[in-house]
Amino acid sequence: MPQYADSYDVLGRVLVEQGEMQAAFDIYQKAAELTPGSVTRLLHAGTLAFYAGKNEEALTALDRACVIGVTSKMFDDHALVLLALLQFDARDGKGLQRTHDHLGRRRERATDEARLQRFDAAITALRCLHDKKLAQAMRMVREMTDEVEGEEMDMEAACNVVALWARLNSQEVQLDEMPTQVARVGQRFCVSKASTEMLVAAAQNAEPAATLIRDSHVNISAMAEQAMGYALNGAPAEAVKMLLAQGEQTRNAKLIELAGLVAQRHHEKIDDAATLAAAAKALMTRYCSKGAHLIGTRTGARAAGGLRLRA
């Protein structure tokens, strides 16, 4: 049934989960073509175009979504940040201001003020960069990055921060702190191929950010493999303790959730299994409960075809 648009939504979500951003974009673009009046599918297509590196297609889809649906409850405000990034890259100062104005009007009736406040800070930083106010932009981006150790930061905010550092570093200024800051974000949010590729795409595949992010993913995977080696060699307690220590240090959901799974599976072989499982659950509650919002709306996401990456 090639004209059944809902089937494209399902396939698109599967492809995003697998980190296949280009293929996901092709699917969501087809869905948007089948239902040209759907704000949600335009947002899907524009967002996936952004993460697939197709800036022109992303700009077209997101701009049209604003034209036909920026006042709609189905509109996802993160699209305004992605649009602002694209307008900054295109040196479109007027467009950047217009997008910021859209966000200002959305904030007047927002229910998630903290989220929109982060978006406002990101777009304000872009406008400072556009106006060559580098010191002010750097201060704002540092403040946003400092939230990476906190409980409220999610994948959405992580992508915004990485995108801003990559653009700061391209402003004819060599930022010695940029590698450290990007690595901080990467070690927490590189939990899968999909999340890693999203962060790389947010950085425009620019170096050294892209390599730093992929290295973070490799390092996290190496930690997980080392811990599982302990479990396979008859020392599951050591595996759980190692995962908990590294999970608490990095806040990485992959390590934290793996600690809980190993503690649960090998509880008969671990003397203090209940204590370790409780510690893992506490870390999961603090750092893994939000998942990774990508596209769609925060309320009624299922009905709107919203999409989240699993933590």
Side-chain angles (χ1 to χ4, degrees), residues 2 16 21 72-74 136 147 170 176 195 225 261 305:
V16 170
M21 299 302 176
S72 169
K73 292 181 179 179
M74 306 297 285
Q136 185 176 348
E147 297 180 9
S170 67
D176 294 336
S195 62
E225 289 174 8
L261 290 172

Side-chain angles (χ1 to χ4, degrees), residues 124-125 128-129 133-142 168:
T124 300
C128 289
L129 273 177
K133 300 176 182 178
L134 295 181
Q136 185 176 348
M138 286 183 65
R139 177 182 58 78
M140 296 184 69
V141 178
R142 284 193 194 105
L168 270 170

Side-chain angles (χ1 to χ4, degrees), residues 66 70 80 97-107:
C66 282
V70 74
L80 295 174
Q97 180 176 345
R98 183 172 62 250
T99 298
H100 204 179
D101 291 341
H102 282 319
L103 182 64
R105 288 188 288 272
R106 299 272 306 174
R107 287 186 69 184

Side-chain angles (χ1 to χ4, degrees), residues 16 54 102 110 141-142 172 196 198 227 267 270 272 298 309:
V16 170
K54 295 184 172 293
H102 282 319
V141 178
R142 284 193 194 105
E172 301 178 0
T196 300
M198 283 176 61
H267 68 277
I270 302 175
D272 52 348
R298 284 299 179 106
L309 296 180

Side-chain angles (χ1 to χ4, degrees), residues 165-166 168-169 175-183 207-209 212:
W165 277 114
L168 270 170
N169 200 54
L175 299 178
D176 294 336
E177 68 181 289
M178 193 275 282
T180 301
Q181 299 282 27
V182 171
E207 297 295 349
L212 288 165

Side-chain angles (χ1 to χ4, degrees), residues 8 56 110 143 200 217 283 301:
Y8 292 92
E56 185 175 343
E143 291 175 355
V200 170
H217 188 211
L283 288 176

Side-chain angles (χ1 to χ4, degrees), residues 16-284:
V16 170
E17 287 282 357
Q18 296 175 339
E20 302 294 340
M21 299 302 176
Q22 175 61 57
F25 162 67
D26 292 339
I27 291 298
Y28 279 123
Q29 185 180 47
K30 178 64 175 178
E33 290 171 356
L34 290 172
T35 55
S38 170
V39 175
T40 300
R41 291 193 174 108
L42 275 172
L43 292 175
H44 287 179
T47 300
L48 266 298
F50 178 89
Y51 287 115
K54 295 184 172 293
N55 290 357
E56 185 175 343
E57 291 90 338
L59 190 59
T60 299
L62 294 175
D63 193 45
R64 174 163 171 75
C66 282
V67 170
I68 69 172
V70 74
T71 61
S72 169
K73 292 181 179 179
M74 306 297 285
F75 190 87
D76 183 6
D77 296 300
H78 190 232
L80 295 174
V81 179
L82 300 183
L83 184 58
L85 288 166
L86 293 166
Q87 290 165 336
F88 171 81
D89 294 339
R91 299 181 180 180
D92 181 6
K94 291 183 179 179
L96 191 57
Q97 180 176 345
R98 183 172 62 250
T99 298
H100 204 179
D101 291 341
H102 282 319
L103 182 64
R105 288 188 288 272
R106 299 272 306 174
R107 287 186 69 184
E108 292 174 359
R109 53 184 182 276
T111 57
D112 191 352
E113 175 59 25
R115 182 177 182 239
L116 267 66
Q117 189 173 357
R118 289 196 296 270
F119 294 169
D120 184 78
I123 297 178
T124 300
L126 286 171
R127 293 187 66 183
C128 289
L129 273 177
H130 180 270
D131 295 337
K132 304 301 181 183
K133 300 176 182 178
L134 295 181
Q136 185 176 348
M138 286 183 65
R139 177 182 58 78
M140 296 184 69
V141 178
R142 284 193 194 105
E143 291 175 355
M144 285 184 273
T145 308
D146 286 341
E147 297 180 9
V148 74
E149 279 85 21
E151 300 175 19
E152 296 301 318
M153 193 168 186
D154 57 12
M155 185 67 194
E156 185 178 73
C159 284
N160 294 344
V161 167
V162 167
L164 290 169
W165 277 114
R167 286 158 177 80
L168 270 170
N169 200 54
S170 67
Q171 299 301 299
E172 301 178 0
V173 178
Q174 185 65 38
L175 299 178
D176 294 336
E177 68 181 289
M178 193 275 282
T180 301
Q181 299 282 27
V182 171
R184 287 173 68 194
V185 179
Q187 72 176 356
R188 176 169 179 181
F189 290 99
C190 286
V191 300
S192 65
K193 176 185 176 183
S195 62
T196 300
E197 292 306 313
M198 283 176 61
L199 290 168
V200 170
Q204 298 179 299
N205 283 283
E207 297 295 349
T211 296
L212 288 165
I213 293 165
R214 290 198 169 100
D215 286 348
S216 294
H217 188 211
V218 170
N219 292 337
I220 292 297
S221 296
M223 293 178 191
E225 289 174 8
Q226 183 181 3
M228 291 309 295
Y230 284 118
L232 292 173
N233 290 323
E238 293 302 316
V240 176
K241 290 175 183 177
M242 178 181 176
L243 288 166
L244 286 175
Q246 292 171 336
E248 186 169 14
Q249 179 182 359
T250 64
R251 276 77 167 170
N252 188 278
K254 178 177 182 177
L255 300 180
I256 295 170
E257 293 186 350
L258 189 56
L261 290 172
V262 174
Q264 181 181 7
R265 179 166 185 175
H266 298 279
H267 68 277
E268 295 179 353
K269 301 178 182 179
I270 302 175
D271 292 336
D272 52 348
T275 301
L276 294 176
K281 184 176 181 180
L283 288 176
M284 288 174 63

